[in-house]
Amino acid sequence: MTQFLPIIYVRGFAGGTRGIDKAVDDPFYGFNEGSTHVRVGAHGNALFYQFESPLLRLMMDYGYELKVRGDQQRLLNEAGSDSMPPRTIWVYRFYDPSASTFDHPPLPYRIEDAARGLADYIHKVLDKTKDADQVYLVAHSMGGLVCRSAIQRFMYTPNQALGPEEVAAGEGFAPDPAHQEHVNLSGKVTPPFPVSKVVTYGTPHGGIDIDLGGSIGDWFVETFGPNGSDIFKEPRMRDYLSPEGQEDFHPPGGWDPRVPYFSALPAERYLSLVGTNPGDYDVALGWSSRAVGVKSDGLVQIRNAYVKGSNRAYIHRSHSGRYGLVNSEEGYQNLQRFLFGNLKIAISLSDLDLDLTDGAVWQADVGLAIRGVPVLMHYQSATAHCPVVLSEENRDTPLNPVPLVTAFLLPKEDPAEPRRYALDLRVYCLREDRGFLSFGSHLEQVADWQDALLVDVSTQADGTIGSARYQWNSTLAGAIAKAGTLDKELMWRRAPDDTAASPSFVARVDIPPVAESVLGPNAHLSVGIGHWE
């Protein structure tokens, strides 16, 4: 059953006093900003496309209400019993105390203060909301770090099922799924963790690697303040992403800011939206992609833009601006499916047997399209500097499996009507000789194998998985979008990690025979599907 919980929006870093003053002038901190430009014309030219904003879409599509009454914070502080419906949107206005436009001296901004305030704000929303004991957090840029700091530093309680030595050793993180109650050593049942899911747009979970030279350094100081770069370096990230007293925690393999240590919210409850277009961010700000490089959204590097173990969607959008992540159809389509979807589907390539001799590097471009949706839900490619590198996992044994894409399925008014998905795959091999590409065996942008898998999924009236049929595009006659009933049926079986409380299923999709000489005789796609709360 779909849960419509309160949504709290947490915006990103606003910069210095001038940026903060501009941010607080907006009643909704930018969550109401839409767009009218999209890069779908010939040669990537801009065309008009009206996206209303995530705020309006949530209100129109799902009946969410925006309660303001002059001051949302004052509304939450009003005395009285719970009175608000769960389908409400709240904007956490943590910059207001640091603005110079109100009649009080502006306070310095600190991420820990914002995070501590967010933890308190979450509880105030829940105290004021009837029939809800959890919230959804939606954050842009550094707002995602504010969310993680609130969860990991100010809402962390050691797992009492572990001893103090184990907790001190760092084994107490992610003790329980957020949606489950649990019993501690005293036998007392504790309520669910107050946060159910977190969506982050372009958040620098792994920090930002900056080359602060010349005018680029001037731009960065102007944007983030004289000490702003410290926010994205390990010492400061340790401070605000660790519980008090655990800042010096040293896990095996080294500390990684992308890992949600000391968190009651597992990584799988995060959706990391990763931008892959740095060029359009330069249109807005000028110097940023020179500082962070092309493998970024113009501000945050692709490798740093996700929580490890989280669900990810790669979107060819920039960090912000008229072609930004938040004010995009792509972002909203992923947001609504993650929050309100009832099924989770994951597709992987299994039992690959690749030719890894002579410095071979195997990569894959992956795109996910849904019939009726005007954008790609997910897009990883070499041209966007984020292909799936098939050969980097293990060079000695068959790779099993290599994750390709994760998606969430929305419930439909007519459950029997199948939803059509298309997974576009391009696999190609590059060979290097002493660090240089060997062009003698190379055909630029020509795949060794490519095809598109069509899948039609229908659900039962109770939202559980029904039938699913599939077919490769290479075997279709006519247009891919207009194809009728697909040839083959997915044969579901219980997944090895299946539980009675959360059933899940897997199915095998054989690759076309022509691809066996490229991927190996036993290569196939594994399709997993399960209930998503």
Side-chain angles (χ1 to χ4, degrees), residues 177 179-180 464 494 497-505 530-533:
H179 57 279
Q180 292 183 353
T464 58
R494 290 273 185 167
D497 57 352
D498 172 72
T499 65
S502 181
S504 57
F505 305 87
H531 176 67
W532 176 249
E533 183 180 5

Side-chain angles (χ1 to χ4, degrees), residues 478-505:
I480 189 171
K482 296 181 178 180
T485 302
L486 304 181
D487 276 356
K488 299 179 181 180
E489 184 173 357
L490 284 176
M491 305 305 294
W492 299 108
R493 59 181 176 83
R494 290 273 185 167
D497 57 352
D498 172 72
T499 65
S502 181
S504 57
F505 305 87

Side-chain angles (χ1 to χ4, degrees), residues 397-435:
T397 60
L399 308 178
N400 187 30
V402 177
L404 295 180
V405 67
T406 300
F408 300 88
L409 311 187
L410 286 170
K412 299 191 67 171
E413 294 181 4
D414 181 5
E417 180 186 352
R419 289 164 281 197
R420 174 159 293 178
Y421 295 77
L423 180 71
D424 190 39
L425 274 176
R426 299 176 73 250
V427 177
Y428 45 93
C429 178
L430 303 174
R431 296 184 182 275
E432 294 184 357
D433 182 12
R434 294 184 295 273

Side-chain angles (χ1 to χ4, degrees), residues 1-2 342-343 411-417 419 458-467:
M1 180 179 178
T2 300
N342 61 338
L343 293 171
K412 299 191 67 171
E413 294 181 4
D414 181 5
E417 180 186 352
R419 289 164 281 197
S458 61
T459 55
Q460 307 288 349
D462 61 359
T464 58
I465 184 63
S467 64

Side-chain angles (χ1 to χ4, degrees), residues 67-79 90-94 96-97 117-118 120-122 124-125 128:
K67 303 289 187 180
V68 180
R69 298 179 190 173
D71 184 345
Q72 279 198 326
Q73 182 70 53
R74 185 173 59 187
L75 181 62
L76 290 175
N77 290 334
E78 287 180 355
W90 305 87
V91 178
Y92 176 46
R93 297 184 59 88
F94 59 93
D96 289 11
L118 176 60
D120 181 60
Y121 194 84
I122 290 169
K124 286 184 177 181
V125 168
K128 204 67 175 178

Side-chain angles (χ1 to χ4, degrees), residues 105 147 155 275 289-290 306 347 356 489:
C147 293
M155 301 175 71
S289 68
R290 300 189 193 183
Y306 57 87
I347 302 178
L356 299 176
E489 184 173 357

Side-chain angles (χ1 to χ4, degrees), residues 426-447:
R426 299 176 73 250
V427 177
Y428 45 93
C429 178
L430 303 174
R431 296 184 182 275
E432 294 184 357
D433 182 12
R434 294 184 295 273
F436 295 93
L437 282 177
S438 176
F439 292 106
S441 59
H442 177 76
L443 290 171
E444 177 62 16
Q445 297 190 29
V446 177

Side-chain angles (χ1 to χ4, degrees), residues 274-278 289 292-305 382 384-387:
V274 182
T276 64
N277 180 9
S289 68
V292 300
V294 294
K295 298 180 181 180
S296 70
D297 62 9
L299 182 61
V300 180
Q301 286 91 354
I302 292 171
R303 66 180 179 273
N304 291 332
H385 307 288
C386 57

